Every structure is written in structure tokens, then in C-alpha cells.
Amino acid sequence: MLHHDNIPIWEVEISVIGPVTITENININARKELEHPEPFYSRIKIKNTENGFKATVTAFAPNPELAEKAAILFFGRMLDVLSIKLNLSLQLDVTKNILIQKINQTTKRIIDENDFKDAFEDSRLFSLKETTISRALSWFRKGKYTQDSYDKYLAFWNSIETITSKYNPNKEACKGKGSICHIWECFKKLWGECEEWKVIAGQTKWIDEGNKIRKDIAHGVIPIEIEHIEKVIARLPEMESVAYHFIYDWIHNELDVEITDELLQRMQ
């Protein structure tokens, strides 16, 4: 069996379902974060499919089960970044039994080799230095692809709350006030006063109302009945838009990662 320094190498096939397409097959290498004195690189081959694309990813592991888990984690983190960059649903599957959400998708985003390389580079940076951002992006991508309305709402809310709970610039003022205070302070830091907020300008009760819905869903207070589901569904487009703009703007305008020589070496 092929191996690298006595660690077996496996190939794992991963399908990605989403409104995307590639114009030609892609072959790239991406560095993996393994506890080893020498860098490991995964060889990735990507080709187009009817409902997205298929990737063949090399993984280093002692058995196939761990190889599949390692490949899913590694490739999934890249998809998390790609999903926020494109603002599209990208659902990962290795079972080949996935329920296709949009079989007849007629409009697809063209993605190329540079899109994948940039997403792998950013996902590695976040994994090394900003794991909070990695978790928020994972929640956001789940919100984009899940078909359960309650799960979708919780995922988008959690994607916001994950960032605000960590990066609130005024935590002292929020002691004992919970997550709604963290969100309010981060929205103000990013967008200014409430009248200037993206998507929800002037909606001073939006955070409180959204948090109440989040609590009711998480605690099972909202019944699974059509009228209650419809109320949540009605709020989802706005919830999704706020989550997207907040995460995207925070990463590009507020996130400050110190790029040291050591970090540069680990990124290469």
C-alpha cells in the first residue's frame, strides 16, 4: 500500500451538491494540519457533475474509516469558506444517497481553480489562528443547505452569535446581559448605529425578537405545526441575509490576524 512516512494514503470521493459548475477538471495540492515534523499535502482532483462537482481527496490515516472522517473535515472546512464567499448552498456527501435539493438548477455559479485555492488557504488560516470564525462558517453553511426550517434558523443565528460572543469589543458593558448584548455591540462596531445597519436598519427590536425565537426553537417551545413553521419561514430570508452580511463584513473589515513568520511557514 502507498504510504507517507509509514502512514497509509487513501483516496476519498466526496460529492458536493450546489448551484455551481466548473469548466475544466482541477488538480491542486493543499497542505494538511497534521502533528508531524514535515508538512503533508493532500492531492485533490475535482470534476464537474450534473448537480455540482465531485472531489477525490487523498487522506493520511491508519484505516479507511478515519481516512473518510479526515477528508470530510478537511474538505468541509474549505467548503465552509467557499460557501460564504459565494453565498451559496454547498452540501457535502460521501454516501451517494443524498437527497438532491435542486435537480433542475438552470443558473449555476462558475468556480475555478483559484476559488478553491483561496478557500483552502483561508480555511487553513482560520483553523490555525481563528477557530471561532471556522465554527461560525460551519454554522452558516449548514444554514444554507439544511431543509429543516427550524434548523436553518438556528444555524444562521448561531453563526452570528458565535462571532459576537468572542469578538464583542465592549464585553465589560455586556456582563450579565447575555448574547443579545454581544450581538448589539458587534453590529454597532461593524455598521454604526441601528439606523445604519444592513438589511435591518432601524429595527431596534430585531435582536431581541430573534433571540426569543431562537430560545423557543432550542427549548422546544414552538410546536411543529404548520402555522408556527410558516412564521419562522417568513423570517428566514431576512435572518439569512443578516447572517451573510455580518459574517462577510466582519471577516473583511474587523478581523485582524497577525501574520507571523511562523504562521507563514505553516501556511505554505
Side-chain angles (χ1 to χ4, degrees):
M1 178 181 293
L2 291 174
H3 60 85
H4 182 91
D5 195 18
N6 294 321
I7 302 177
I9 304 174
W10 309 82
E11 281 194 340
V12 181
E13 287 191 355
I14 297 174
S15 294
V16 175
I17 312 302
V20 294
T21 186
I22 59 176
T23 56
E24 59 184 20
N25 292 352
I26 295 172
N27 292 277
I28 57 177
N29 293 312
R31 184 168 174 177
K32 308 193 74 167
E33 186 60 23
L34 296 177
E35 292 298 328
H36 193 273
E38 294 184 6
F40 280 58
Y41 293 87
S42 182
R43 186 175 65 253
I44 302 155
K45 297 179 286 186
I46 303 170
K47 64 180 182 179
N48 208 41
T49 63
E50 182 180 358
N51 296 290
F53 59 86
K54 184 175 76 172
T56 303
V57 182
T58 57
F60 306 89
N63 58 62
E65 292 77 20
L66 288 178
E68 182 175 278
K69 290 179 180 179
I72 290 173
L73 177 63
F74 175 66
F75 203 76
R77 284 176 175 171
M78 183 279 297
L79 287 181
D80 294 340
V81 174
L82 196 59
S83 183
I84 195 72
K85 285 177 176 287
L86 304 179
N87 195 17
L88 293 174
S89 168
L90 298 173
Q91 187 173 7
L92 180 152
D93 174 51
V94 293
T95 67
K96 299 182 176 62
N97 293 316
I98 197 167
L99 174 63
I100 305 301
Q101 297 179 14
K102 295 183 179 179
I103 294 177
N104 297 318
Q105 182 67 246
T106 57
T107 304
K108 298 182 179 182
R109 171 69 150 80
I110 297 175
I111 49 180
D112 60 22
E113 182 174 315
N114 288 329
D115 291 318
F116 286 104
K117 285 183 175 179
D118 289 345
F120 271 117
E121 183 175 330
D122 285 348
S123 68
R124 180 167 174 75
L125 176 63
F126 296 149
S127 294
L128 290 171
K129 295 293 291 184
E130 298 289 343
T131 55
T132 297
I133 298 296
S134 293
R135 290 195 298 273
L137 294 180
S138 178
W139 279 117
F140 179 79
R141 183 168 69 87
K142 179 179 180 180
K144 293 292 285 186
Y145 71 71
T146 183
Q147 295 296 288
D148 184 290
S149 300
Y150 289 175
D151 284 350
K152 185 179 286 288
Y153 189 95
L154 288 176
F156 286 134
W157 184 270
N158 288 345
S159 71
I160 295 173
E161 193 177 76
T162 298
I163 291 177
T164 58
S165 295
K166 169 69 181 293
Y167 297 107
N168 176 11
N170 198 13
K171 285 187 176 181
E172 194 65 28
C174 289
K175 280 190 174 180
K177 297 181 180 179
S179 62
I180 57 175
C181 185
H182 294 309
I183 296 173
W184 185 277
E185 291 298 325
C186 284
F187 280 14
K188 282 191 354 184
K189 178 68 167 63
L190 184 62
W191 293 326
E193 294 304 317
C194 185
E195 291 73 18
E196 301 170 335
W197 291 355
K198 284 188 178 179
V199 186
I200 52 172
Q203 296 188 40
T204 56
K205 297 181 180 180
W206 188 89
I207 296 174
D208 294 84
E209 292 173 351
N211 188 56
K212 183 180 184 308
I213 294 173
R214 191 275 303 173
K215 284 185 176 179
D216 288 347
I217 293 174
H219 298 159
V221 176
I222 296 182
I224 305 178
E225 297 175 359
I226 188 63
E227 62 179 295
H228 299 284
I229 295 174
E230 287 178 343
K231 288 180 181 179
V232 173
I233 290 175
R235 295 182 67 101
L236 281 176
E238 189 175 76
M239 180 77 248
E240 178 177 343
S241 185
V242 172
Y244 167 72
H245 286 289
F246 173 71
I247 297 170
Y248 188 91
D249 288 355
W250 190 271
I251 290 174
H252 288 84
N253 298 322
E254 298 296 333
L255 194 64
D256 185 17
V257 182
E258 182 183 2
I259 307 297
T260 63
D261 290 339
E262 179 186 1
L263 180 59
L264 277 176
Q265 185 177 7
R266 296 180 72 180
M267 290 289 295
Q268 294 171 353

